[in-house]
Amino acid sequence: MIRVVLADDQALVRAGFRALLDAQPDIEVVGEAGDGGQAVELAGELRPDVVLMDIRMPRLDGLQATARIGADPGLDGVRVVVLTTFELDEYVFEALRAGAAGFLVKDTEPAELVRAVRVVAAGDALLSPGVTRRLIGEFAARSKAPRPGAPGPLDALTDREREVLALVGLGLTNEDIARRLVVSPLTAKTHVSRAMVKLGARDRAQLVVTAYESGLVRPGWLG
C-alpha cells in the first residue's frame, strides 16, 4: 500500500482527496493536517510514502514544512508533492529546491492525481501537466549566476554523468535519455542514480534544480 498524508487548511479539499485516494486498491490516506506544522509532525510519526502539501497554510506554510521534511535524514523516504492553485506559483521553484518531488495544480483531473501519487511513491519526479521546463527555467534565472571558474557541484561528475544531468534538466525520462545516448534504459538509470548520489539529490526534481542553478541547462533552451 502507498501511504499518504494530506496537508491542506481546507477540510473540504482534504475530504475530496481522501475519498478519491482511499477508493484506490493500492493507496491509503493515513493522516490529515490543517497546517504545515501538523504535516511535519505527521510525517515524523507516520512515515508516509507521500505527503500532498498545500503551499498556503496558516502558522507554518507548505514551503517551510517541505524544507523541514527534506532536511530530516530520518524522513528520506517521504516524498512531498506540493499543491498549488496556480501553475505559475512563485513558490514552486523554491518548493523543488527545498526537497519537493514535484507539484500539481489543485484542479488536476482525479485520474492524474492518483497517477501522481503512484509516480512519486515510485521515486520519480513529477511536474504538473501543462507546466514545462521553461517554468522552472524562469525561476532558476532569478538565482544568482555561478561565477566563471568557481568550483561547483558538477566537478564530481564524469562527462557522461554531466551529459545525463543536462538531459534530466530538459525533462527527459530514463527511456528518453537511453534513446538519445543509444544506451540501455538500465544504463541511463545507473548514470542518473550515480549523479544523484554524488550531488546529494533526493530525487530527479532536485537534479533538475541543480542542472539549472549550475548553468548546465540554461532557461529557454529546448535541448
Side-chain angles (χ1 to χ4, degrees), residues 9-135:
D9 61 337
Q10 298 182 45
L12 189 59
V13 171
R14 296 199 306 271
F17 285 162
R18 176 182 278 276
L20 173 65
L21 296 175
D22 276 345
Q24 309 305 312
D26 58 337
I27 300 175
E28 178 187 11
V29 175
V30 296
E32 295 184 24
D35 61 58
Q38 292 178 354
V40 174
E41 291 175 6
L42 286 179
E45 293 172 9
L46 302 174
R47 306 296 172 93
D49 300 296
V50 178
V51 177
L52 293 180
M53 183 87 73
D54 187 26
I55 285 185
R56 293 173 176 81
M57 291 186 290
R59 290 193 288 274
L60 190 73
D61 65 29
L63 184 61
Q64 295 170 301
T66 297
R68 291 189 185 184
I69 292 173
D72 187 338
L75 299 180
D76 259 355
V78 178
R79 304 295 181 189
V80 177
V81 176
V82 170
L83 299 170
T84 177
T85 305
F86 307 104
E87 288 183 343
L88 296 177
D89 194 303
E90 62 182 300
Y91 297 115
V92 165
F93 185 74
E94 291 300 326
L96 294 176
R97 179 187 285 155
F103 73 97
L104 285 172
V105 288
K106 285 188 175 180
D107 62 356
T108 294
E109 291 293 325
E112 183 61 28
L113 176 64
V114 173
R115 188 191 75 84
V117 169
R118 291 174 177 145
V119 165
V120 172
D124 291 326
L126 176 88
L127 297 180
S128 178
V131 177
T132 68
R133 62 179 176 271
R134 289 192 180 191
L135 169 63

Side-chain angles (χ1 to χ4, degrees), residues 94-180:
E94 291 300 326
L96 294 176
R97 179 187 285 155
F103 73 97
L104 285 172
V105 288
K106 285 188 175 180
D107 62 356
T108 294
E109 291 293 325
E112 183 61 28
L113 176 64
V114 173
R115 188 191 75 84
V117 169
R118 291 174 177 145
V119 165
V120 172
D124 291 326
L126 176 88
L127 297 180
S128 178
V131 177
T132 68
R133 62 179 176 271
R134 289 192 180 191
L135 169 63
I136 299 177
E138 177 184 342
F139 294 118
R142 301 177 187 176
S143 302
K144 186 176 180 180
R147 299 192 315 274
L154 305 190
D155 291 348
L157 303 183
T158 65
D159 290 342
R160 176 46 65 93
E161 287 164 354
R162 289 191 187 205
E163 188 176 12
V164 168
L165 176 61
L167 295 176
V168 171
L170 292 174
L172 274 63
T173 65
N174 288 345
E175 289 72 21
D176 295 332
I177 293 171
R179 285 192 291 270
R180 180 75 69 91

Side-chain angles (χ1 to χ4, degrees), residues 133-134 137-138 212 218-223:
R133 62 179 176 271
R134 289 192 180 191
E138 177 184 342
Y212 276 101
R218 296 185 182 179
W221 280 17
L222 297 178

Side-chain angles (χ1 to χ4, degrees), residues 157 161 165 190-201 207:
L157 303 183
E161 287 164 354
L165 176 61
T190 298
H191 287 310
V192 172
S193 297
R194 286 176 178 168
M196 287 176 62
V197 171
K198 290 182 179 180
L199 296 173
L207 285 184

